[in-house]
Amino acid sequence: MVSPFDPDGEIVKRGIPNVKEKIGRRRFMKGAGTATAAASMGLAGCSNPADQGTDNSGGGAIPDEPLRMACIGFTSGAASVFGTPMMQSARMVVDNINENGGILGEREIEMEEFDENVDEIVQQYRRLATEEDFDVIMGYISSANVLSVAPIAEELEQPTVVWDTGTTDLFDDAVTDPQYVFRTCASSSTDAVGAARLLQNALPDVETVAGVNQDYAFGRNNWDLFERAIESLGVDVELVDSRFTPFPNDDYSSTISALNSTDPDFIYSSHWGGDAVNFITQANNQGLFDDTIPCFTAGSHVIGNIPDEIPEGIIFGARGPHFPFGDQQWNPLHEEFVQNYQDEYDEPPYAHGAFHAWQAIWAYVYSIERAYNLSGEYPTKDQWVTSMEGIGFNSPSGFVNMPQGSHNVVEPSFYGFSDPQDDRVALTDTVWITPEYVNPPASITTGEWIDNL
Amino acid sequence: MVQQLLSEQLVIILNGLSGAATLFLLGTGLSLIYGMLNFMNLAHAAFLPLGAYLAASLIQRTVGAVGGSLGFIGLFVVFLVLLLVVVPAIVSLVGLAMERTAFKPLYGLEDDYQLLATFGIILMMEDAMKFIWGGQPVSATAPSNLLGSFTLPSGTYPWWAVLTILVTASVAGTLYYFFEKTRLGKITLAMAEDEEAVSFTGIDTRSIHLKVFVIGISLAALGGALYLPTASMTTGLALEFVILAFAVLVIGGLGSLKGAIAASLIIGMVQAYGSYYVPVLELALVFLLMAVIMLIKPTGLFGEIEA
């Protein structure tokens, strides 16, 4: 069963996200807490920091020594299919900033890369924060890892930008009163609530739904949120099966056979990395997608890994509006980023982490520049925190903002059907849902919000 | 309803058998090398991904070079030759070179040192494969796509998995015949019992060592070549395969061909039924089984060598 999207109502939109320059600025002025941040530094009159990046209007001394930035992601193991493009993007962004003189046009960034594929993730973090004395630690793809590390970051008062992990437990449970930890991408709420709203508004023919997710923090969290959102929204579907597969895993034959026997109309899956590659390859072989619409909320990077294995009509989300090709080639930054990445690495940035790396590094740089331009001094650690709270800027994926009172960026939910073309796989019939409908307000936890939708 | 149920059971059994096939091809080599050579070679598991990566490169190049010009039968034969003959042959040569350089110095050491050293070698082999083929998943599904699938009431099933089962069954039969009926096979078994006595008869035991080693490596490579068309290779899988190969060894018994066959079938079926009916326990079931076997019969189902 492949039915076209038929969006109606107010919240599910077709085509390009509503994130053009003008709207982005207005939303920033309205909701991103500029006034609060400026007032706290004794100044007023801030605008989008993206416009202030090279202004240098602060006038105070800028440190001579380079800024030391640690970047952590999977550069080995099965998850490197995702981490490698992410790290490549980070490298490209930092090189670009340094070619223009660095932060504020003067302070270069010294980036060091670390593999997330280590057993002692907490010890690694402690070492980077204390012995190696990094100014900022950017990192984490695995939700399980960030849940271990985030409380340590707060304990050590170490500026930390979580660039990609999805679990909502990060700020709902592990660190409920964050100070030094920020996440510059949206949480799994975007994927799970987005998919539930997609079913409700755009796929009315779907009657039966199954889930297949990886058996660890991210997969469990995703399915829990999706299940609760379906119930809370009163979506008229029956959940016929929910499966959790070992992480990582290479043999999905029995899982696929089981899903084939329940024959759901729609499958929700947050699989990613090598697991997603194997699951999709084997599901194709076993005909699982013949009469089922699969929805991969975080697996669009597999398109870059196995383009020949991607049939038409699979729904891919990209944890926000991050996808190189399709209807969403809507903003000059997007086109520039995709082109630069393609030129540099001879492949497109299908992994949404590549976009998330851009967001994380620029969020940090913009927040430093914003604080400097407002206060006239290079910010201390705590001034940086104040500047990060409420940051908002244009990115390759549209306007990114961190609502005041939250340490978590919100992004729209974004889904589309795979559309194999001659030289690429694009997303077509794209659907996007505005951030307010897929992310909780800053004041309550994701679970509480979802249960009261 | 009954038809649906039977179809489901058939699919689970086929899943179990195809999983068992990969395990058998991997575990047998490890078991033979330990049983006959008294060498605990963890790095053995890395020859499976090596076979798979090599198969991917060869398939991709073949498809690029001949495309559809050969027709169904021509292309199928080419794939079979590549996967069943060329890949095991090339990987065996790599194995042989490694035997002379990396493994030979380890033969006289205690098991613990062999374990540590060969674990180091597996990590180096993993990195070497990552260096050559990159960190991204490598897949080449052309052989499986060529054969297609057959339809059952509970879904479709790939013919390639059936072919994998049949090829492995004939390999198992051939090995059984080799050890039970041929002179070389009997000498090999005798060497496992008392190598010194065999060498007194004037037989070149070193050459037999090498033959057993090469058979083991080529079986692992064959396992990788047959595995690839239905999955993809990513770095890190070698370490996963080590654990499963060990499970075959522990459950079946060290150095026993019958044990390797039985253990592979048991593990394959436990995994297939486990992931179908109780997915939460999929991983735990294999280890639970290992623990139970070790408690009841520490030498494994068919093993006589003390672990």
Side-chain angles (χ1 to χ4, degrees):
Chain A
M1 185 184 80
V2 175
S3 76
F5 283 117
D6 181 23
D8 54 13
E10 285 298 304
I11 60 165
V12 177
K13 315 274 187 188
R14 296 186 81 129
I16 62 171
N18 183 13
V19 282
K20 287 178 183 160
E21 172 79 21
K22 202 172 163 189
I23 295 163
R25 182 187 292 269
R26 183 174 59 78
R27 191 181 295 156
F28 173 77
M29 294 302 287
K30 185 182 165 195
T34 314
T36 317
S40 68
M41 285 185 263
L43 292 160
C46 178
S47 63
N48 188 336
D51 300 332
Q52 296 191 344
T54 54
D55 190 15
N56 259 10
S57 58
I62 295 167
D64 292 333
E65 74 278 10
L67 179 107
R68 299 195 66 231
M69 175 187 285
C71 289
I72 303 165
F74 290 104
T75 52
S76 70
S80 67
V81 298
F82 190 82
T84 300
M86 194 170 178
M87 203 60 93
Q88 289 180 166
S89 168
R91 216 175 291 149
M92 193 179 84
V93 171
V94 167
D95 285 348
N96 179 259
I97 292 169
N98 286 342
E99 279 163 18
N100 288 298
I103 300 169
L104 291 159
E106 288 188 31
R107 191 180 190 194
E108 287 212 348
I109 299 173
E110 198 176 271
M111 169 184 165
E112 280 188 49
E113 299 172 30
F114 298 91
D115 193 352
E116 192 173 339
N117 188 21
V118 292
D119 290 334
E120 304 298 337
I121 200 80
V122 170
Q123 280 83 335
Q124 181 197 54
Y125 183 90
R126 278 189 185 278
R127 179 170 58 81
L128 298 180
T130 55
E131 291 170 36
E132 304 209 15
D133 212 21
F134 279 97
D135 294 299
V136 60
I137 296 177
M138 303 259 166
Y140 303 109
I141 293 172
S142 161
S143 289
N145 286 346
V146 88
L147 292 176
S148 312
V149 159
I152 315 286
E154 291 294 338
E155 173 202 319
L156 298 175
E157 300 186 353
Q158 167 69 46
T160 300
V161 179
V162 176
W163 62 7
D164 189 69
T165 73
T167 179
T168 54
D169 289 344
L170 172 59
F171 292 128
D172 289 346
D173 190 30
V175 179
T176 50
D177 184 21
Q179 178 79 1
Y180 297 97
V181 178
F182 291 88
R183 173 157 57 187
T184 51
C185 66
S187 73
S188 303
S189 171
T190 305
D191 312 324
V193 181
R197 292 198 187 275
L198 192 70
L199 283 175
Q200 185 179 38
N201 293 276
L203 295 169
D205 294 340
V206 167
E207 291 174 359
T208 51
V209 173
V212 54
N213 295 280
Q214 289 151 306
D215 198 3
Y216 82 113
F218 181 68
R220 290 266 171 192
N221 182 237
N222 249 281
W223 180 249
D224 177 53
L225 297 177
F226 176 76
E227 214 175 4
R228 286 163 80 166
I230 289 285
E231 190 178 330
S232 182
L233 288 167
V235 185
D236 189 18
V237 292
E238 185 191 353
L239 300 179
V240 291
D241 199 1
S242 69
R243 295 190 160 260
F244 295 95
T245 57
F247 170 65
N249 189 27
D250 55 292
D251 181 8
Y252 284 93
S253 52
S254 285
T255 302
I256 293 163
S257 302
L259 288 167
N260 259 331
S261 71
T262 45
D263 196 20
D265 297 332
F266 180 93
I267 291 175
Y268 177 90
S269 176
S270 59
H271 268 75
W272 64 279
D275 285 5
V277 172
N278 278 323
F279 180 67
I280 290 175
T281 308
Q282 291 166 27
N284 268 337
N285 264 317
Q286 288 186 240
L288 178 62
F289 301 156
D290 291 352
D291 54 0
T292 293
I293 302 175
C295 173
F296 291 95
T297 63
S300 62
H301 66 89
V302 302
I303 291 173
N305 308 131
I306 46 166
D308 298 340
E309 297 298 316
I310 305 299
E312 189 181 351
I314 292 188
I315 297 176
F316 281 108
R319 295 273 322 278
H322 322 294
F323 196 78
F325 307 119
D327 301 346
Q328 66 282 16
Q329 287 171 292
W330 32 260
N331 99 36
L333 270 175
H334 180 276
E335 286 172 29
E336 187 187 319
F337 174 71
V338 171
Q339 191 60 50
N340 287 347
Y341 189 97
Q342 173 94 45
D343 292 345
E344 185 85 22
Y345 301 112
D346 207 25
E347 61 188 15
Y350 276 114
H352 60 252
F355 291 82
H356 280 165
W358 193 106
Q359 289 175 200
I361 294 171
W362 275 111
Y364 182 80
V365 171
Y366 282 147
S367 61
I368 294 283
E369 295 186 338
R370 174 196 200 193
Y372 181 81
N373 291 338
L374 290 172
S375 69
E377 288 175 4
Y378 198 89
T380 62
K381 195 159 66 175
D382 290 327
Q383 284 171 325
W384 166 75
V385 168
T386 309
S387 186
M388 269 292 271
E389 289 172 343
I391 191 85
F393 53 89
N394 286 312
S395 81
S397 306
F399 191 75
V400 168
N401 85 308
M402 188 149 348
Q404 194 62 34
S406 167
H407 275 223
N408 204 133
V409 150
V410 295
E411 296 184 83
S413 178
F414 184 83
Y415 288 108
F417 282 114
S418 57
D419 177 25
Q421 299 170 355
D422 288 342
D423 61 337
R424 65 180 57 157
V425 179
L427 285 190
T428 188
D429 290 327
T430 49
V431 163
W432 65 278
I433 306 168
T434 48
E436 294 79 6
Y437 286 94
V438 288
N439 295 276
S443 52
I444 56 172
T445 67
T446 315
E448 288 165 355
W449 175 68
I450 289 178
D451 290 343
N452 292 292
L453 283 174
Chain B
M1 189 66 192
V2 175
Q3 198 186 11
Q4 173 82 18
L5 188 69
L6 287 175
S7 163
E8 275 175 37
Q9 294 304 310
L10 176 63
V11 168
I12 299 171
I13 290 168
L14 286 172
N15 287 335
L17 289 175
S18 64
T22 308
L23 285 177
F24 170 77
L25 291 171
L26 181 64
T28 305
L30 185 65
S31 186
L32 286 180
I33 290 170
Y34 185 82
M36 312 298 160
L37 277 57
N38 199 24
F39 176 45
M40 185 48 80
N41 183 18
L42 278 187
H44 183 76
F47 290 99
L48 187 143
L50 186 60
Y53 274 123
L54 190 63
S57 293
L58 291 173
I59 291 168
Q60 284 161 358
R61 278 178 176 72
T62 306
V63 172
V66 299
S69 64
L70 287 179
F72 175 85
I73 294 178
L75 200 54
F76 182 61
V77 170
V78 169
F79 283 147
L80 280 189
V81 171
L82 283 179
L83 300 181
L84 304 188
V85 181
V86 179
V87 169
I90 296 176
V91 175
S92 296
L93 289 177
V94 175
L96 209 54
M98 289 184 66
E99 200 273 344
R100 294 287 165 99
T101 51
F103 298 132
K104 197 177 162 191
L106 308 174
Y107 285 162
L109 300 178
E110 295 286 319
D111 280 3
D112 323 15
Y113 294 109
Q114 288 179 348
L115 281 171
L116 279 174
T118 53
F119 189 72
I121 293 171
I122 201 174
L123 295 179
M124 286 190 268
M125 287 178 74
E126 280 248 305
D127 273 356
M129 286 186 269
K130 190 181 169 194
F131 180 75
I132 297 169
W133 283 282
Q136 306 290 312
V138 172
S139 67
T141 52
S144 177
N145 295 343
L146 187 72
L147 283 187
S149 307
F150 58 95
T151 307
L152 291 162
S154 61
T156 56
Y157 201 78
W159 279 112
W160 189 262
V162 178
L163 180 80
T164 302
I165 295 166
L166 294 177
V167 169
T168 310
S170 34
V171 168
T174 310
L175 281 175
Y176 191 76
Y177 178 82
F178 171 76
F179 283 116
E180 297 292 327
K181 307 287 179 195
T182 67
R183 181 173 171 272
L184 183 61
K186 285 178 179 164
I187 293 171
T188 313
L189 287 178
M191 271 174 60
E193 294 293 322
D194 191 343
E195 185 178 337
E196 216 169 291
V198 174
S199 67
F200 286 154
T201 64
I203 291 170
D204 180 5
T205 53
R206 170 75 189 149
S207 134
I208 292 172
H209 269 185
L210 274 183
K211 284 181 182 128
V212 171
F213 197 87
V214 166
I215 290 172
I217 298 286
S218 58
L219 288 177
L222 178 65
L226 289 171
Y227 167 88
L228 182 79
T230 54
S232 62
M233 274 320 299
T234 45
T235 50
L237 278 186
L239 293 175
E240 260 184 72
F241 284 124
V242 166
I243 297 169
L244 288 172
F246 242 86
V248 172
L249 228 68
V250 170
I251 293 174
L254 295 165
S256 162
L257 181 65
K258 274 186 240 168
I261 295 174
S264 306
L265 284 172
I266 292 169
I267 297 172
M269 287 301 166
V270 162
Q271 282 191 318
Y273 273 94
S275 58
Y276 196 94
Y277 290 111
V278 269
V280 168
L281 295 178
E282 184 182 342
L283 280 181
L285 282 174
V286 174
F287 293 104
L288 196 66
L289 192 67
M290 264 170 75
V292 171
I293 299 278
M294 288 186 82
L295 283 173
I296 299 171
K297 196 165 186 298
T299 55
L301 292 175
F302 292 89
E304 284 164 11
I305 302 166
E306 286 297 330

